[in-house]
Amino acid sequence: MADVRLYISRHGKTMFNTIGRVQGWCDTPLTKKGEEGIRELGLGLKDTGVDFKLAVSSDLGRTVQTMTIALRELEKLGEIPYYQDKRIREWCFGSLDGGYDGELFGGVLPRTDAYKGKSAEDLTYEDIAKGLIEVDTAGWAEPWEVLSKRIIDGFFDAAKKAEANGAENIVIVSHGMTIAT
């Protein structure tokens, strides 16, 4: 594979981010502050002089909105290929989507078997995924093997598509835990 650089950004601040709720696959729009931050991101990327030839985001509204603003500021909106890939969506928190961050990460998950005997510093993303599987009453949370594979495959395939089309630089908008994975 030729050198392909992925410039990956998290979506702008949303309504749920502002009030401390878990979003996962549920969606809320960017706040005014979130839109302003992404305008700054787009202008900052433009100032670097990097020539983006491909844009990719998850299919969730907050990343689409973020990408639209960033591409507009980059003066690339409608000028370069752009597609959405559901594989780079945020983690699915299942029945816990929309709940408060503090209740999920400070209350519910620490009581799961996946967390037993571990300090917060010792937890891995795999532990979090296992904990979610334990408590998701809807059965929608993804096992770690499925979750990590879909995310890695999504980013890797974006790089392969870029390479096949001669694009050295890709701008990607995804989600916090997805990027960390």
Side-chain angles (χ1 to χ4, degrees):
M1 183 177 281
D3 285 343
V4 174
R5 288 179 190 86
L6 310 179
Y7 292 78
I8 304 172
S9 175
R10 180 184 176 272
H11 60 80
K13 189 170 189 164
T14 67
M15 291 171 61
F16 268 18
N17 296 145
T18 302
I19 60 173
R21 288 190 177 262
V22 177
Q23 282 188 103
W25 286 11
C26 64
D27 221 354
T28 62
L30 302 186
T31 61
K32 280 195 181 287
K33 195 172 198 169
E35 290 178 357
E36 290 167 12
I38 296 305
R39 277 194 280 286
E40 291 173 12
L41 169 70
L43 290 171
L45 288 173
K46 183 179 177 187
D47 285 348
T48 67
V50 173
D51 188 22
F52 293 101
K53 298 289 188 185
L54 180 64
V56 183
S57 75
S58 90
D59 61 338
L60 296 176
R62 58 193 184 267
T63 60
V64 174
Q65 186 182 6
T66 297
M67 183 62 81
T68 300
I69 294 167
L71 288 176
R72 186 178 305 122
E73 297 302 331
L74 279 163
E75 297 178 358
K76 296 283 187 175
L77 186 62
E79 302 295 319
I80 62 172
Y82 163 56
Y83 70 93
Q84 299 163 19
D85 189 334
K86 69 181 181 179
R87 294 176 298 175
I88 61 170
R89 275 184 183 179
E90 183 59 285
W91 289 34
C92 178
F93 296 97
S95 59
L96 303 161
D97 260 17
Y100 284 104
D101 292 336
E103 290 174 4
L104 174 61
F105 294 105
V108 175
L109 287 175
R111 294 193 304 263
T112 64
D113 288 340
Y115 278 51
K116 279 202 173 108
K118 295 187 180 182
S119 68
E121 297 82 34
D122 293 333
L123 289 172
T124 66
Y125 282 109
E126 185 173 0
D127 294 329
I128 295 169
K130 286 178 181 176
L132 287 170
I133 293 289
E134 285 182 54
V135 297
D136 173 24
T137 58
W140 297 332
E142 300 165 284
W144 174 249
E145 298 75 22
V146 172
L147 171 67
S148 59
K149 181 176 180 354
R150 85 159 156 87
I151 292 168
I152 292 165
D153 287 351
F155 286 127
F156 188 74
D157 286 351
K160 288 193 307 191
K161 285 180 182 173
E163 181 186 43
N165 292 305
E168 293 179 2
N169 301 301
I170 312 170
V171 60
I172 298 177
V173 177
S174 189
H175 308 267
M177 287 184 70
T178 298
I179 294 167
T181 299

